[in-house]
């Protein structure tokens, strides 16, 4: 038995080694297959490629194409395209046409990031280890996205390996097949073709001479169209009408003006002048942003007009007391909060649409979607106070601690809640002045709400009287004063005169003033105080002293 084991052991070891090595060899072979796309022959209809082109790396292949394009050698430039989808007998004719179309597309819609384009055959990204494909050979690279109708068309360059010869980098077959449609969408317009040849020559910064003059002209025409449209919608509107929150015409004027301006810019830059990629990468996201903002702005303004017609947000009317007013204040505050929530949702949706559309075109060579995470962190840190105030304003609406039209005492001021905005609460002080308070400060600091729950209030009038003062005589005058005022008869139990304290200067007497309405409470308390002081002076003159005798120094 032992002899049998000794005989089989070398064979088992050899088999184990073979099994362990097989996956590795397989993986190596598979890795080699994944490094390029295999074809039988590269562009057989074009013949042998010229010796002055270099297609071994992504960068060298595109550089060779641009050199041939600048010299208008379209037959040689066609060797940098993958024409495998075109029959070999048609490649010699179709290839130069597609090369010219690709050159036009590069000039008008694509900005090549030469820093990101690798100058090595395997296109390995050796600069970072965080990228998903870092350290891995590449067989396809995305250069850009170009929007064609409702879909984005990827512009790629692929690594192709013929049966005989070294692999080369070529513009992908799918991109080549899309070039006719892209050329029709972004090629020279009829107006451009009518321009003199010198105006279509290169000027500076990759621009043509007609673009240098056409861009300011487009901006001027767009501004003039927007101004005239706005004036046409404003014709006949007086200031009162213009400021009316219930005017649908006023609400739609701003959004429609922005939409017309954006539409004018879009038509001019797509039908009259097709600008190069350096200008288009700025204009295209701005046009998308203009349409999105105009649409969302129109939705918010129309909703505001509808709400203003259905619900009264006038704080003066909401502050009135009576049957149903409590419910009206609740409804007005909740609808105001719902409006703010809708605005937040609308802004987020608009930002998402803009980022998604702009990232499709990789505006300015940087994908906005890729940088959305970092941008979100930066914006969240910079706007943390704004976000905190927005959440606090929604908190007020949910807990109903303060509603539009409520009477509150804030920092010793008698105020009416006029508006609850995203970041601040607008209070109208009894003097008519406005107090603007950040929502966070308003929520975090205690305040008295005189309108919450019950609208009946008891005000206090405090007088400092002498120890010898006849309180009973002043109490009779107090009852007479209240009988002469508009004090609720069914709240007689809320009346009262009480000595709440005393010190060396005299006694402190509280006179209670029941009031029917928070809107009248402060005024009634002032009137009662004035009448009591008047009666106290009479008693002080007729009999013994009512008021304590103290010098200013003693009082201090």
């Amino acid at each position: 038995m032992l002899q049998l084991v000794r005989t089989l052991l070398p064979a088992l070891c050899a088999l184990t080694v073979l099994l362990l090595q097989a996956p590795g060899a397989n993986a190596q072979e598979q890795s080699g297959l994944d490094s390029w796309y295999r074809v039988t022959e590269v562009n057989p209809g074009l013949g042998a490629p010229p010796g002055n082109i270099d297609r071994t790396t992504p960068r060298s292949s595109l550089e060779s194409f641009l050199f041939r394009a600048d010299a208008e050698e379209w037959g040689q430039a066609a060797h940098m395209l993958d024409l495998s989808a075109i029959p070999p007998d048609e490649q010699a004719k179709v290839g130069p046409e597609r090369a010219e179309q690709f050159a036009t597309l590069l000039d008008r819609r694509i900005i090549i990031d030469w820093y990101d384009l690798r100058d090595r055959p395997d296109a390995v990204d050796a600069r970072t280890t965080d990228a998903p494909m870092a350290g891995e050979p590449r067989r396809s690279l995305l250069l850009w996205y170009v929007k064609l109708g409702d879909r984005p068309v990827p512009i790629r360059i692929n690594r192709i390996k013929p049966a005989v010869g070294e692999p080369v980098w070529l513009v992908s077959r799918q991109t080549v097949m899309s070039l006719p449609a892209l050329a029709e969408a972004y090629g020279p317009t009829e107006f451009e073709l009518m321009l003199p040849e010198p105006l279509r020559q290169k000027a500076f910064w990759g621009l043509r001479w007609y673009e240098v003059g056409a861009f300011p002209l487009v901006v001027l025409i767009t501004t003039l169209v927007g101004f005239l449209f706005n004036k046409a919608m404003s014709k006949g509107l007086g200031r009162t009408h213009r400021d009316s929150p219930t005017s649908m015409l006023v609400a739609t004027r701003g959004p429609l003006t922005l939409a017309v301006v954006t539409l004018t810019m879009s038509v001019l830059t797509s039908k009259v002048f097709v600008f190069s990629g350096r200008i288009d990468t700025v204009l295209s996201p701005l046009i998308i942003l203009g349409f999105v903002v105009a649409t969302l702005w129109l939705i918010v303004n129309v909703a505001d007009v509808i709400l203003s017609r259905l619900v009264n947000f006038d704080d003066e009317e909401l502050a009135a007391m009576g049957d149903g007013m409590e419910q009206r204040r609740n409804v007005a505050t909740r609808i105001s909060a719902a409006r703010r929530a809708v605005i937040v949702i609308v802004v987020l949706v608009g930002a998402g649409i803009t980022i998604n559309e702009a990232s499709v075109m990789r505006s300015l060579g940087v994908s906005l979607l890729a940088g959305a995470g970092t941008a979100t962190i930066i914006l969240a840190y910079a706007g943390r106070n704004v976000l905190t105030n927005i959440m606090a304003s929604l908190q007020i609406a949910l807990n109903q601690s303060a509603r539009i039209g409520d009477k509150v005492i804030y920092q010793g001021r008698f105020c009416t809640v006029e508006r609850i905005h995203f970041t601040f609460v607008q209070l109208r002080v009894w003097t008519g002045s406005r107090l603007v308070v950040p929502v966070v400060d308003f929520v975090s600091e205690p305040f008295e709400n005189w309108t919450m729950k019950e609208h009946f209030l008891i005000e206090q009038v405090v007088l400092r009287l002498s120890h010898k003062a006849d309180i009973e005589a002043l109490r009779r005058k107090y009852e007479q004063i209240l009988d002469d005022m508009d004090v609720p008869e069914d709240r007689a139990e809320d009346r009262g005169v009480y000595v709440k304290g005393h010190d060396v200067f005299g006694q402190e007497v509280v006179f209670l003033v029941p009031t029917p309405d928070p809107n009248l409470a402060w005024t009634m308390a002032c009137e009662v105080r004035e009448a009591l002081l008047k009666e106290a002076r009479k008693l002080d003159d007729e009999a013994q002293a009512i008021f304590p005798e103290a010098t200013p120094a003693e009082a201090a």
Side-chain angles (χ1 to χ4, degrees), residues 61-83:
S61 182
L62 283 180
E63 286 175 343
S64 297
F65 179 86
L66 291 175
F67 290 149
R68 304 286 82 74
D70 289 340
E72 296 187 356
E73 298 174 353
W74 304 117
Q76 295 187 22
H79 284 277
M80 267 65 74
L81 309 180
D82 182 3
L83 304 174

Side-chain angles (χ1 to χ4, degrees), residues 16-17 104 196 207 225 232 287 314 397 401 455 504 555:
T16 303
V17 171
T104 302
L207 303 178
V225 169
I287 290 173
D314 186 2
S401 58
H455 58 270
V504 67

Side-chain angles (χ1 to χ4, degrees), residues 289 292-293 296-297 300 339-357 369 372 376 379-380 387 390-391 394 422:
L289 182 62
V292 171
V293 171
L296 301 182
W297 187 7
V300 172
R339 173 186 175 275
R340 295 194 298 275
V342 168
I343 290 177
V344 171
I345 295 173
V346 164
V347 170
L348 292 178
V349 170
I353 294 174
T354 304
I355 290 175
N356 181 66
E357 292 295 328
L369 190 59
T376 301
L379 291 175
L387 296 175
I390 290 175
M391 296 306 297
L394 296 178
F422 275 111

Side-chain angles (χ1 to χ4, degrees), residues 33 120 133 165 210 234 238 256 329 332 364 366 433 492 502 515-516:
L33 291 175
R120 50 185 293 171
M133 297 294 293
Y210 81 84
S234 304
L256 291 181
R329 283 190 290 272
L364 298 176
V366 179
S433 60
H502 71 97
T515 61

Side-chain angles (χ1 to χ4, degrees), residues 356-368:
N356 181 66
E357 292 295 328
S359 65
V360 164
M361 291 173 291
R362 295 173 60 91
S363 174
L364 298 176
V366 179
S367 173
L368 296 181

Side-chain angles (χ1 to χ4, degrees), residues 444-463:
S444 60
E445 187 170 338
F447 60 89
E448 293 183 27
N449 190 330
W450 285 12
T451 318
M452 182 178 288
K453 300 299 181 184
E454 295 291 340
H455 58 270
F456 296 105
L457 291 176
I458 301 176
E459 273 287 278
Q460 299 183 38
V461 175
V462 181
L463 298 181

Side-chain angles (χ1 to χ4, degrees), residues 461-519:
V461 175
V462 181
L463 298 181
R464 174 77 67 174
L465 303 178
S466 169
H467 288 105
K468 299 179 181 180
D470 185 1
I471 303 301
E472 187 59 34
L474 201 55
R475 180 178 284 109
R476 289 192 295 270
K477 296 294 183 182
Y478 156 81
E479 294 288 349
Q480 183 179 349
I481 292 170
L482 293 187
D483 290 339
D484 295 337
M485 297 183 66
D486 185 18
V487 177
E489 297 180 357
D490 57 343
R491 299 183 63 85
E493 69 278 3
D494 293 332
R495 298 185 182 188
V497 178
Y498 305 97
V499 179
K500 61 177 296 187
H502 71 97
D503 52 24
V504 67
F505 300 108
Q507 53 186 332
E508 192 174 355
V509 185
V510 177
F511 299 85
L512 301 182
V513 183
T515 61
D517 191 332
N519 299 310

